[in-house]
Amino acid sequence: MSIRRSVAAAVFVAAVSAPAILGSTPALADAVPTPTGKSQPDAPVTDGTPATDTPATDAPATEAPATDAGTGVTAPEVGTPAPSGTAPAPSGSTSQEEDELRARLRQLIAEPGHGQYFHEEAGKALNGTVEDMRHFFDVLPTIIIDDRDIFITQVMSMSDHRGQLWRTIQNALSGTRADRDHFLDVTWPAVRLQYLKDAARIAGGSDPQLAARARQVMEANDGGKALVGFIEVEVPKAANDANWRKVLQTLIRPGSSLTLDEAAGQALGVDGAKAFLAGLD
């Protein structure tokens, strides 16, 4: 009997205690520390706050490259340089820029007032590459200044070095930029207008050779350089030659009482010839 009672008592105690033990298992698990060892790291002690994931420091996993759905060809990654020797696809901007530069150049060339040097430089740029045209516009202010100064020196070279125009140009070239600009913008237009009037009068004169030459220089498209040479050099020379011709004709005129030596002495130089001819009558 005692054995049966003991077994029954043990069964009763186990039946009553089982729910309490099962219900307390999580609490016990929290309370009991995880054993440590060489094969497992120590678990960090927590205060009940959910643990925050620490970013991995190992190299990220490499994803497989994307492929084109239609061709199956692997697509290059963004930012990957093109293979060596592969030319970039044309965007069309270069062609548009070239057209715009050539249009601007043609507009400049058509403007009046530019000299020979400007037209030479503009022509070379127009017939060159895009880079040539870019360079032309980069140095355009310098080209315009040089063009104006070169024109002044050309006018000076065509004028009589003993005349007023030559001295005026010399003063402008030895002065400041403002002095040279004043000559071109103020002095030169007035001189050119007067020389055009002189050439027109000569063109309607009785000397056919001189008249033809006057018309030629009036039509010259050089800004007036030929006109200066004609009025300041050619016309005085022609007048001098005409005076000498008249002197010679007088010398050989029948009944002349002047000897050759006397006439030659009186007619030396333009002023002498003019004075001699004026006193013939």
Side-chain angles (χ1 to χ4, degrees):
M1 284 297 291
S2 61
I3 295 175
R4 290 181 178 178
R5 288 177 181 175
S6 298
V7 171
V11 170
F12 174 77
V13 170
V16 172
S17 303
I21 295 173
L22 291 175
S24 63
T25 299
L28 292 174
D30 292 339
V32 179
T34 303
T36 61
K38 293 183 179 180
S39 61
Q40 182 177 3
D42 295 339
V45 178
T46 61
D47 56 0
T49 305
T52 303
D53 293 338
T54 303
T57 58
D58 297 335
T62 304
E63 297 182 359
T67 57
D68 187 282
T71 62
V73 178
T74 302
E77 296 181 4
V78 176
T80 303
S84 177
T86 304
S91 62
S93 59
T94 302
S95 177
Q96 180 180 359
E97 180 187 12
E98 180 177 359
D99 293 341
E100 292 175 353
L101 289 173
R102 294 194 189 282
R104 289 175 59 192
L105 258 176
R106 292 190 180 96
Q107 184 178 3
L108 278 178
I109 293 174
E111 290 179 354
H114 297 301
Q116 180 180 355
Y117 175 74
F118 174 88
H119 285 288
E120 289 176 354
E121 295 299 314
K124 287 189 292 186
L126 185 63
N127 295 325
T129 63
V130 173
E131 186 60 32
D132 294 332
M133 291 186 287
R134 289 175 186 159
H135 178 72
F136 175 84
F137 282 107
D138 288 340
V139 299
L140 180 58
T142 302
I143 290 178
I144 292 177
I145 291 176
D146 291 344
D147 180 60
R148 290 168 68 85
D149 288 347
I150 289 173
F151 179 79
I152 295 176
T153 59
Q154 289 174 338
V155 172
M156 185 179 187
S157 68
M158 300 295 288
S159 62
D160 182 4
H161 70 278
R162 297 165 297 183
Q164 179 61 41
L165 179 61
W166 192 93
R167 290 190 294 271
T168 301
I169 295 176
Q170 186 182 42
N171 292 335
L173 289 176
S174 61
T176 64
R177 175 77 255 164
D179 295 329
R180 296 191 288 275
D181 289 340
H182 183 271
F183 171 80
L184 282 175
D185 299 334
V186 179
T187 306
W188 168 243
V191 172
R192 183 175 180 272
L193 179 60
Q194 182 58 51
Y195 284 5
L196 278 172
K197 293 179 179 179
D198 295 341
R201 186 174 63 253
I202 297 172
S206 58
D207 188 328
Q209 184 176 359
L210 206 57
R213 178 62 181 151
R215 289 190 293 269
Q216 183 181 5
V217 298
M218 290 172 65
E219 296 171 358
N221 187 24
D222 61 358
K225 297 190 300 289
L227 184 65
V228 171
F230 175 71
I231 297 298
E232 294 226 341
V233 179
E234 294 184 43
V235 171
K237 183 179 182 300
N240 188 39
D241 292 343
N243 286 333
W244 277 105
R245 285 195 300 270
K246 290 181 180 179
V247 169
L248 293 176
Q249 292 171 358
T250 302
L251 291 176
I252 63 173
R253 186 174 60 183
S256 173
S257 61
L258 294 174
T259 65
L260 181 60
D261 291 339
E262 292 174 345
Q266 294 177 15
L268 287 177
V270 176
D271 294 336
K274 290 180 179 179
F276 171 74
L277 294 173
L280 283 179
D281 293 340

